[in-house]
Amino acid sequence: MKAQDTCELFFDNVKVPKENLLGEEGLGFKIMMAELPRERLTVAINAIGGAEGAIENTIEYTSTRTAFKKPIAGFQNTQFKLAECATQLQIHQAFVDRCTRLLSQNQLTAESASMAKFSATDMHGKVVDECLQLFGGYGYMWEYPIAVMYADNRVAVIYAGTNEIMKVLIARGLYKELFDNIRAMKKQ
Ligand SMILES: Cc1cc2nc3c(=O)[nH]c(=O)nc-3n(C[C@H](O)[C@H](O)[C@H](O)COP(=O)(O)OP(=O)(O)OC[C@H]3O[C@@H](n4cnc5c(N)ncnc54)[C@H](O)[C@@H]3O)c2cc1C
C-alpha cells in the first residue's frame, strides 16, 4: 500500500514465555474468530471515511479546473456523478452506523459485519473510480491524492476476508438450517 509499509514476517522456533500467554492455551483461533466482526466493521468504517474524502477532494478539484471555458463542476455529468456518489455514501453510512451501534451492544452478527465490509468497500471502490475519472489525466498521476486513494483502496476488497468470502458468510446465515444439517451429516 502506498500509505503503509508491508513485509513478510517469520516466527521460526520462537519461544514465548508462559507469563506472556494471552487468553487460554488452545483457544487462540476461537478468540481471533470472535473478533472478526469488529475487524470487518473497522474496514467498513475506513471505506466510509475514504469515500467521503474522495468526494470532498473531487468537489474541490472540479470547482477550480476549467475545460471549454467553464469549471468541470459546471457539466451536468460531473454533478450527476457526484450526486450518485454522495447518495451511495449516505446509504452506506446509515448501515455502518447501525452496525457500530450493534457492536457497542455486543449484538453485531457475523452476517451484518460481512454485509457492511463487502458493501462499503465495494461502494468505496466505485466512488474513487468515478471521482478519479473527473480528474482526467491528473487522476493517473501520483502527485494527486485521488491516484493514491485509488491504489490503496483496492486492497480493501481483499483483506480482512475477501468480499467473495463475505458473501459466503452471508449466504451461510441465509441457509443456516441447511448448512447445519450438512455439517451434522458429515460428522455421522
Ligand atoms: C496489504 C495486506 C494486508 C493484510 N493484512 C492481514 C492481517 O493483518 N492479518 C491477516 O490475517 N491477514 C492479512 N492479510 C491477508 C488477507 O486477509 C488475505 O490475503 C485474504 O483473506 C485472501 O486470502 P488469500 O490471499 O489466501 O486468497 P485466496 O484464498 O487464495 O483467494 C483467491 C481468490 O479466490 C477467491 N476464493 C477463495 N475461496 C473462495 C470461496 N470459498 N468462494 C468463492 N471465492 C473464493 C477469493 O475471494 C479470491 O478472489 C493481508 C493482505 C494484504 C494484501
Side-chain angles (χ1 to χ4, degrees):
M1 291 167 81
K2 294 285 161 197
Q4 189 179 317
D5 192 17
T6 50
C7 65
E8 206 169 355
L9 298 175
F10 297 90
F11 296 97
D12 291 335
N13 299 318
V14 171
K15 286 200 163 68
V16 180
K18 268 188 188 159
E19 60 272 22
N20 289 7
L21 181 72
L22 296 174
E24 241 180 275
E25 191 176 350
L27 289 184
F29 188 68
K30 210 173 162 192
I31 294 168
M32 191 271 292
M33 290 286 283
E35 290 303 318
L36 289 180
R38 177 195 293 270
E39 183 195 29
R40 287 168 185 161
L41 181 59
T42 307
V43 175
I45 292 168
N46 276 339
I48 298 293
E52 194 174 7
I55 293 170
E56 277 172 11
N57 191 242
T58 309
I59 291 171
E60 205 180 302
Y61 178 79
T62 52
S63 303
T64 52
R65 168 81 176 169
T66 56
F68 301 101
K69 295 186 180 159
K70 69 182 203 179
I72 307 283
F75 299 113
Q76 195 179 49
N77 177 62
T78 307
Q79 298 165 14
F80 278 13
K81 288 291 178 197
L82 285 172
E84 286 165 15
C85 289
T87 306
Q88 285 303 314
L89 173 63
Q90 288 302 318
I91 290 168
H92 283 84
Q93 173 92 64
F95 181 56
V96 168
D97 283 353
R98 188 174 149 220
C99 288
T100 308
R101 212 165 33 249
L102 288 170
L103 179 75
S104 70
Q105 295 161 351
N106 275 333
Q107 284 177 358
L108 180 65
T109 61
E111 288 85 3
S112 290
S114 302
M115 286 175 189
K117 193 271 176 181
F118 113 71
S119 190
T121 54
D122 263 11
M123 177 276 301
H124 184 193
K126 284 178 194 141
V127 163
V128 173
D129 190 50
E130 294 286 14
C131 286
L132 187 151
Q133 185 70 16
L134 297 174
F135 279 72
Y138 283 139
Y140 200 67
M141 309 290 160
W142 287 126
E143 288 85 346
Y144 284 77
I146 196 73
V148 181
M149 289 182 201
Y150 184 84
D152 278 357
N153 163 252
R154 189 60 182 82
V155 75
V157 298
I158 297 171
Y159 68 12
T162 63
N163 282 10
E164 291 76 22
I165 294 298
M166 295 304 102
K167 291 175 200 173
V168 169
L169 297 175
I170 297 162
R172 213 175 270 167
L174 299 176
Y175 289 102
K176 191 170 179 328
E177 207 175 314
L178 181 69
F179 280 104
D180 285 348
N181 287 343
I182 292 171
R183 220 172 290 136
M185 276 162 64
K186 276 185 184 164
K187 274 188 189 161
Q188 284 169 5

